[in-house]
Amino acid sequence: MLASPNSLAATRTLARTGIKRLVSSCGIEAWFVQDSTVPLIAMEFAFTGGATQDPPQKPGVGHMVAGLLKEGSGDLDFKTFHERLDRRAIELGFRSTHDHFRGALRTLEDNADEAFELLRMALTSPRFDAADIERIRATVLARLRHNSTDPSSLAHRKFLEVAFSDHPYARPAGGSLESVPKIEVADLKGYVRRVIAKDTLKIAVVGDVDPGVLCKLLDKSFGSLPTKAEVTPVPEVVVAKPPQRVFIPLDVPQTAVTFGGPAVRRSEPDFMAAYVVNHILGGAGLTSRLFREIREKRGLAYSVRENLVWLDHSAMFLGNSGTYADRAGETVEEIEKQVRHIAEEGPTQQELDDAKSYLKGSQVLALNTSSKLARTLLQHQLDKLPIDYFEKHNAVVDGVTLEDAKRAAQRLWGAGLLTIIVGRSPKDAAQPTTMPSGTTPPPGAEQLGAAPTAPPN
């Protein structure tokens, strides 16, 4: 795998400067890589909470907050706040995943003071003006209406409902057509008060800034936040046991298939073995078994892939594909066949060697911009990895043996699949083994927010 000049430069910078743990005078901690290649500062940060902290009957509150924090703050209305961002080419954004409320800031070093001040205002004094709330609400509802007739979105949402039942992970992180109209300003303010606090804050910064100056900037943005969050504890949960299959009728040209099951937690010793063998079955690129057997050999689908998804309180493997209705049954059967085969026999030594080579090379590509490096450093913190994990990564990958991979394959896929099929129901399509009476397409869908798909560098 060839690396770009930018990614090689980033790797050399990381090797030369290392990752420093900074602690400001206000006790704000950050992982920091000093990089003077360009006069840019990239920061990624996260608070524990995310969509799991939405009121149970009002999913989507955190998602709405993420859309509103930069829509006006303090004495700056929507227009003025955005004018100040645009004038200095400051990029600021927020999003709510299932487990975390995340933010990202990019600014030129010369504009750092203003950028970190605008971030402080967004976090500590959001306006939540009525006009802004209704504008963001309308945008969210438009997306949800689209998703209510999109087979892939419907399949994904139904999978979460089947997999997690009454757990908070089953709720739509982006809200629903029923819940979003009910969200009030008190819900938004309550979410900010409970979730955005210093005790769960994780920060990663990459850029051209002196460590002492950075500590002052961190204090400016985060120093006045509440000391302790008031988050509701989230229980541990195991994905529902396969095999199960649910069919949702929808009159669309393409049938969507989402499949998955319980997986290995990020903290478990077998995680890397599971990650490597999952890459062999359905990972990125054109060499996975699923892509080769389903797309190349049989032409059943344009794309098919599968990822490990690790959450704070659970883990799963999750795959998807799309095909014509009259070939949906054949597609599902072939996916199940490939899953059974690798569960029973495991990968070959050549497949294992090739996967290791790919995953080690992909670490370099994960560092080819300051923002990607900051994002990866933040994910390492959220995954509770040591600060020197970059140095250990290749050795961890190399340590996976063929026996490890076979054991992980049996654990992942030995029980079969949870499968959701959304589309037309031709005579020769696969018939469901589980089909609740009166099943109708759910009223909206979302993408799982806490689903890392990049290599766990």
Side-chain angles (χ1 to χ4, degrees), residues 113-177:
D113 281 333
E114 182 161 10
F116 280 76
E117 171 61 13
L118 290 172
L119 172 59
R120 180 196 68 79
M121 295 176 66
L123 292 175
T124 60
S125 55
R127 290 169 64 106
F128 294 135
D129 288 341
D132 300 327
I133 292 174
E134 294 313 313
R135 185 179 62 256
I136 296 299
R137 193 195 311 271
T139 300
V140 173
L141 287 172
R143 179 184 59 83
L144 290 171
R145 281 191 289 270
H146 168 78
N147 287 350
S148 69
T149 58
D150 175 66
S152 296
S153 298
L154 292 173
H156 187 90
R157 176 169 174 180
K158 189 63 179 179
F159 180 89
L160 296 183
E161 292 176 358
V162 173
F164 293 112
S165 186
D166 58 352
H167 190 274
Y169 286 154
R171 302 197 296 259
S176 69
L177 289 171

Side-chain angles (χ1 to χ4, degrees), residues 42-97:
M43 178 170 70
E44 297 273 337
F45 57 94
F47 303 90
T48 298
T52 60
Q53 300 306 307
D54 290 343
Q57 302 307 316
K58 292 185 180 181
V61 170
H63 183 69
M64 287 276 290
V65 169
L68 283 161
L69 284 191
K70 65 173 186 176
E71 300 302 284
S73 180
D75 59 354
L76 304 181
D77 62 12
F78 159 77
K79 181 179 179 182
T80 308
F81 195 93
H82 277 267
E83 284 176 348
R84 287 184 60 173
L85 289 173
D86 295 343
R87 186 170 63 244
R88 302 295 186 187
I90 298 167
E91 298 177 13
L92 175 63
F94 303 92
R95 64 190 180 99
S96 177
T97 70

Side-chain angles (χ1 to χ4, degrees), residues 1 352-362 397:
M1 175 179 293
L352 180 62
D353 293 342
D354 290 345
K356 287 182 180 181
S357 177
Y358 178 92
L359 293 174
K360 288 187 293 183
S362 67
V397 174

